Amino acid sequence: MFYSLALVVYEYAITVNQELTFIWKRKLTGATALFVANRYLSVLLTIIQIAPSLPIEWYVLLEHKSSIFSALRVYAIWGRNTMFFIAVLLPNMVPFATNIVSIKLTYTVVRNNMTLPLVKYATRISVIVADALVLLLTWWKTFRDAREVLSLKMNISLTTLLIRDGMHKHHRFLRLAC
């Protein structure tokens, strides 16, 4: 566990100048808020792993931060589509709920052998559904954009389109989110 803390401290030490230049010396935007949340939630997660006296719910919540970021990605790609955001976020939150329930059951009630396999399957299936939604929605949007590019007779590869448009739309969302 202390190795992970050492790696986190090392990474922060070698990038602190860049962070000061590109984050803290500029106006606070949605992009900087997401950066700070992602960066410092990682530090908090590492500390929580080392300090087991903190509530386990904190650890579980921080462990699922990627669920929120994947939902935000879909939200940005699809031009702030709340329906797609919720469709990706909800199945991604099932593991958070089942982890909390499992933790509470472990400490308070003797486990029922019939419930645990169902909880495990529900958790795994929900994550697969959420990941499949992110993948399918990204592909769908990319291929829609690719068709539009082809109809305009532009010479852009699908890879370029995916990278360029995905980043452009993502940055546009982050600027608008402030």
Side-chain angles (χ1 to χ4, degrees):
M1 276 192 258
F2 291 106
Y3 296 119
S4 62
L5 179 60
L7 285 172
V8 168
V9 168
Y10 175 72
E11 192 272 334
Y12 280 68
I14 64 173
T15 59
V16 70
N17 287 336
Q18 293 167 334
E19 181 180 340
L20 288 171
T21 301
F22 296 114
I23 302 299
W24 298 111
K25 290 183 180 178
R26 295 177 184 240
K27 183 178 83 168
L28 181 65
T29 65
T32 56
L34 281 174
F35 171 83
V36 169
N38 191 41
R39 184 160 170 96
Y40 290 99
L41 285 176
S42 298
V43 172
L44 188 58
L45 181 59
T46 303
I47 292 169
I48 288 172
Q49 288 174 337
I50 293 171
S53 63
L54 293 172
I56 194 70
E57 290 86 354
W58 287 25
Y59 174 74
V60 173
L61 178 63
L62 293 171
E63 196 173 71
H64 295 288
K65 68 180 177 154
S66 63
S67 303
I68 296 167
F69 285 104
S70 67
L72 282 172
R73 173 164 174 66
V74 169
Y75 183 74
I77 288 172
W78 280 92
R80 303 172 116 186
N81 187 315
T82 308
M83 184 181 71
F84 288 153
F85 173 79
I86 292 170
V88 171
L89 186 64
L90 287 179
N92 261 323
M93 289 291 106
V94 170
F96 172 71
T98 58
N99 283 340
I100 296 295
V101 168
S102 294
I103 289 164
K104 294 298 182 187
L105 284 175
T106 301
Y107 296 123
T108 58
V109 181
V110 176
R111 292 183 179 198
N112 177 348
N113 288 334
M114 291 301 291
T115 348
L116 286 180
L118 293 176
V119 169
K120 286 180 186 176
Y121 291 134
T123 301
R124 290 179 181 154
I125 289 169
S126 69
V127 170
I128 291 168
V129 166
D131 288 346
L133 276 171
V134 170
L135 183 65
L136 292 172
L137 288 169
T138 302
W139 281 353
W140 182 17
K141 184 65 171 167
T142 300
F143 287 116
R144 273 183 45 187
D145 291 349
R147 266 198 331 260
E148 187 175 323
V149 165
L150 287 173
S151 72
L152 296 172
K153 302 206 187 307
M154 297 173 72
N155 188 17
I156 298 176
S157 73
L158 184 59
T159 305
T160 303
L161 184 66
L162 182 61
I163 292 170
R164 187 198 66 201
D165 289 351
M167 291 305 294
H168 170 71
K169 289 174 184 165
H170 186 64
H171 289 305
R172 184 181 69 200
F173 157 71
L174 293 175
R175 281 195 312 270
L176 294 173
C178 296

